[in-house]
Amino acid sequence: MKDKNEELRQKRKANHVGGGIARIEKHHEQGKLTARERISLLLDENTFHEIGAFVEQRSTAFDLDKSVFPGDGVVTGFGKIHGRLVYVFSQDFTVLGGSLSESHSAKICRIMDLALKNGAPIIGLNDSGGARIQEGVVSLSGYSEIFFRNTRASGVVPQFSMIMGPCAGGAVYSPALTDFVFMVEDTSYMFVTGPNVVKTVTHESVSSEDLGGAKTHAEKSGVNHFTAQNDVEAIKKLRRLITYVPQNAYEEPPKTTTFSFSEKQSSSIERILPENNTMPYDCRQIINLLVDQDSFLEVQEDYAKNIVVGFGRLEGRSIGIVSNQPAELAGVLDINASRKGARFVRFCDSFNIPILVLEDVPGFLPGTDQEWNGIISHGAKLIYAFAEATVPRITVITRKAYGGAYCVMNSKSLGADLSYAWPTAEIAVMGARGAAEIIFKKEIRDAQNPTEKWLEKEAEYAEVFANPYRAAERGIVDDVILPSETRQVLIKGFEMLEKKAENLPLKKHGNIPL
Ligand code: HXC
């Protein structure tokens, strides 16, 4: 008995060295933590329970059976974050480059199945060279098994992907199917085909970093939602993000009981908007003054900066925030902003997180680039996402709300539960200058001084529409409120909507313009 217990202890010890001490040292030299070190940091102390530690790969091709690594390059199991259950897999790059074999995939699928049955988030710590090349098609099939589960779990349990090493080939598609992707600067890459293949096929010379590093995916593709300087920071960020989301689609997000807010926040909000309505300002100033102190967590902050999305709290309750950003491209909506906004809205709606929209939008970005690349379908995504969302939705129009962009940004007729406007709001089909030019074209052309006439007509149009009262008269906004009242109005509004129940017409699924 004693010997058998000792045998188990020895086997466990062996499991913990993955691909061997030399490879672990090399891994550490690159500034990376091992698969197990990452899990220890991610989970609350002593909460990790491993599953499948003795699973081995089964292939005999290319001498794979000559050196067998227990666990087959991935550590899987469950544990807790802030006392809440999560399922986790962590790929071990020291074992055949974290490559995905049939058994490696089966271990991941096992914990995904458990997560789905038990309604808890799935966290993948990815560090993998892709499909295990020696195994051939069974490893490819292993990827498909994971993709299938990612898709089935989508909208049921939150899924998070940490990219902590090279992720090539199939290794990128599972993260892309999850809700949030974190990347570590300098040590992580994501690409479908690496620089060598790119060189052969397209004759482009590009570094791994430029092709698929954290910065590239944060700024250019939008695949990366959160960038971290190292593994430790990435894990800390994930531990924070998870506090805003519920365990699954059938539960409410956790509520914090301690929060702070100073009255000074409410009064200083009056000073954010510039006197001149064409001047930019940073909408994050407004967000930070509305939500509980230090509670705003921005998502995709380096991508499509003309729209800001992120989580915050109002008296401890999670909300998702979507705001036009006048400091970037005057806050116009374009293809990337529409995609970014739509995906975030759908996440919030999937997981019962109420949505606040702060609107200051002059319109859609014009031009051939936008039209030829499909702003029509991409803009429609944002319309679809808002119109489909059944979570409580409140819009506050702070300044401009023009044209189609007004409609898109969670307008009342698109189903917003409550719609407010600040006294500075301008709600019209277009800006006064452009409007005057079109509807008074003849009068301006025939005037003795056309410029003077144009200015006069512009002022006339602005007098009628550059305010919130025409919309309020029609009930298109529910009330005109002072900036300093806004936080309290939102708290009361979301409280009133807490038990909102709305069902979509029965259907298999809608057909969002992809
Ligand atoms: C088997 C692999 C492997 C793989 C790496 N290794 N990738 N073994 N299958 N896919 C092994 C290496 O042989 C090496 O073993 C160890 O892992 C470390 O790899 P190195 O190359 O020494 O490390 P590094 O220099 O850091 O480079 C890492 C890397 C590179 C960039 C990931 O290994 C690489 O390019 N790998 C192949 C990536 C790739 O093309 N994958 C696509 C697979 S196809 P030893 O024993 O020497 O330590 C795919 C399609 C799925 O995934 C499609 C689904 C839609």
Side-chain angles (χ1 to χ4, degrees):
M1 171 76 173
K2 227 174 161 190
D3 289 350
K4 292 206 185 275
N5 287 354
E6 188 47 33
E7 184 192 0
L8 173 61
R9 283 194 193 95
Q10 289 307 321
K11 277 182 182 289
R12 278 186 177 163
K13 223 170 153 185
N15 286 355
H16 283 224
V17 291
I21 302 291
R23 286 195 180 90
I24 290 177
E25 278 170 3
K26 191 174 159 205
H27 199 75
H28 280 157
E29 275 163 23
Q30 293 171 339
K32 292 162 72 178
L33 298 176
T34 64
R36 285 177 191 278
E37 287 165 346
R38 287 168 179 161
I39 289 179
S40 310
L41 267 183
L42 175 71
L43 301 180
D44 299 345
E45 217 175 329
N46 295 326
T47 61
F48 181 55
H49 289 263
E50 190 168 354
I51 294 176
F54 296 107
V55 169
E56 291 177 0
Q57 67 88 33
R58 291 188 274 172
S59 174
T60 52
F62 299 99
D63 289 340
L64 273 178
D65 52 333
K66 299 282 183 310
S67 49
V68 166
F69 301 93
D72 200 23
V74 64
V75 184
T76 53
F78 60 95
K80 293 201 168 159
I81 295 184
H82 307 302
R84 296 159 70 209
L85 177 67
V86 295
Y87 291 84
V88 60
F89 69 86
S90 182
Q91 292 178 312
D92 184 350
F93 191 80
T94 68
V95 175
L96 295 166
S99 57
L100 187 125
S101 68
E102 182 191 19
S103 341
H104 180 125
S105 160
K107 285 182 69 177
I108 295 176
C109 291
R110 169 111 168 90
I111 65 125
M112 292 177 86
D113 290 341
L114 282 169
L116 204 55
K117 281 188 224 164
N118 294 290
I122 301 166
I123 300 169
L125 306 167
N126 297 269
D127 194 350
S128 168
R132 189 165 300 164
I133 296 164
Q134 300 90 322
E135 267 202 7
V137 69
V138 287
S139 64
L140 294 183
S141 160
Y143 266 126
S144 305
E145 296 270 359
I146 296 172
F147 303 157
F148 176 80
R149 283 165 177 78
N150 283 134
T151 308
R152 289 291 162 104
S154 180
V156 184
V157 293
Q159 301 181 75
F160 305 93
S161 297
M162 315 286 283
I163 313 298
M164 305 181 117
C167 282
V172 298
Y173 278 117
S174 169
L177 290 164
T178 63
D179 297 302
F180 294 103
V181 173
F182 293 69
M183 289 187 76
V184 179
E185 274 173 358
D186 303 325
T187 50
S188 77
Y189 312 106
M190 292 176 83
F191 31 67
V192 175
T193 51
N196 292 341
V197 179
V198 171
K199 177 91 186 146
T200 313
V201 178
T202 70
H203 308 294
E204 286 172 284
S205 291
V206 63
S207 66
S208 295
E209 189 63 41
D210 282 349
L211 185 64
K215 195 169 148 63
T216 296
H217 284 306
E219 293 174 4
K220 291 191 197 310
S221 73
V223 166
N224 171 19
H225 297 88
F226 296 96
T227 303
Q229 283 177 359
N230 50 46
D231 289 6
V232 178
E233 194 191 35
I235 287 167
K236 271 194 190 149
K237 285 190 172 187
L238 173 56
R239 282 181 60 93
R240 180 169 179 218
L241 173 62
I242 211 164
T243 63
Y244 293 86
V245 305
Q247 289 293 89
N248 55 58
Y250 311 105
E251 292 182 15
E252 297 302 316
K255 186 172 179 284
T256 54
T257 45
T258 51
F259 61 89
S260 51
F261 180 79
S262 74
E263 281 316 309
K264 243 174 57 199
Q265 276 182 250
S266 281
S267 52
S268 38
I269 203 167
E270 306 274 353
R271 294 191 288 273
I272 307 291
L273 290 196
E275 282 297 320
N276 180 340
N277 71 352
T278 61
M279 293 302 283
Y281 63 92
D282 187 344
C283 69
R284 287 172 293 202
Q285 288 178 280
I286 293 182
I287 297 171
N288 280 313
L289 292 172
L290 286 177
V291 298
D292 299 348
Q293 226 164 35
D294 302 321
S295 73
F296 181 53
L297 175 64
E298 192 171 347
V299 176
Q300 279 183 307
E301 62 183 303
D302 295 318
Y303 181 72
K305 292 181 181 179
N306 40 331
I307 200 163
V308 168
V309 301
F311 298 100
R313 289 197 177 86
L314 283 173
E315 292 195 335
R317 285 193 177 85
S318 273
I319 55 166
I321 300 154
V322 180
S323 175
N324 305 115
Q325 171 57 293
E328 195 76 25
L329 290 172
V332 289
L333 285 175
D334 61 2
I335 291 173
N336 292 348
S338 304
R339 288 177 49 229
K340 173 177 166 180
R343 181 135 176 95
F344 183 74
V345 167
R346 279 169 76 82
F347 175 81
C348 292
D349 189 46
S350 299
F351 292 106
N352 311 316
I353 300 172
I355 298 166
L356 165 64
V357 172
L358 296 174
E359 180 169 356
D360 184 352
V361 60
F364 276 98
L365 182 64
T368 50
D369 175 64
Q370 291 288 305
E371 296 291 351
W372 294 349
N373 284 298
I375 182 63
I376 297 173
S377 325
H378 294 293
K381 287 182 177 136
L382 193 51
I383 300 179
Y384 194 107
F386 277 126
E388 189 190 39
T390 56
V391 286
R393 292 189 263 147
I394 303 182
T395 298
V396 179
I397 301 169
T398 56
R399 202 168 60 169
K400 298 182 173 71
Y402 287 147
Y406 154 77
C407 302
V408 174
M409 288 300 291
N410 198 37
S411 55
K412 187 85 182 293
S413 317
L414 213 54
D417 297 292
L418 289 167
S419 170
Y420 296 103
W422 283 4
T424 40
E426 302 165 20
I427 308 168
V429 177
M430 59 168 65
R433 197 166 172 71
E437 189 186 11
I438 295 167
I439 58 180
F440 302 112
K441 189 175 173 179
K442 200 162 170 300
E443 277 175 85
I444 293 170
R445 193 190 56 206
D446 297 344
Q448 269 193 335
N449 184 337
T451 313
E452 209 169 78
K453 194 65 170 179
W454 191 356
L455 286 172
E456 181 194 315
K457 292 296 177 189
E458 180 186 344
E460 209 176 290
Y461 189 86
E463 174 69 20
V464 178
F465 282 118
N467 63 67
Y469 300 105
R470 297 295 86 74
E473 282 162 18
R474 297 296 182 111
I476 290 169
V477 300
D478 291 305
D479 201 2
V480 183
I481 57 171
L482 294 169
S484 57
E485 295 167 338
T486 309
R487 178 175 157 92
Q488 279 312 314
V489 166
L490 293 175
I491 288 169
K492 289 196 183 109
F494 281 123
E495 200 176 81
M496 178 275 283
L497 294 164
E498 210 175 346
K499 298 271 184 284
K500 178 186 172 188
E502 187 186 2
N503 293 314
L504 296 175
L506 193 63
K507 54 181 148 181
K508 189 171 177 196
H509 60 69
N511 188 13
I512 188 166
L514 295 172

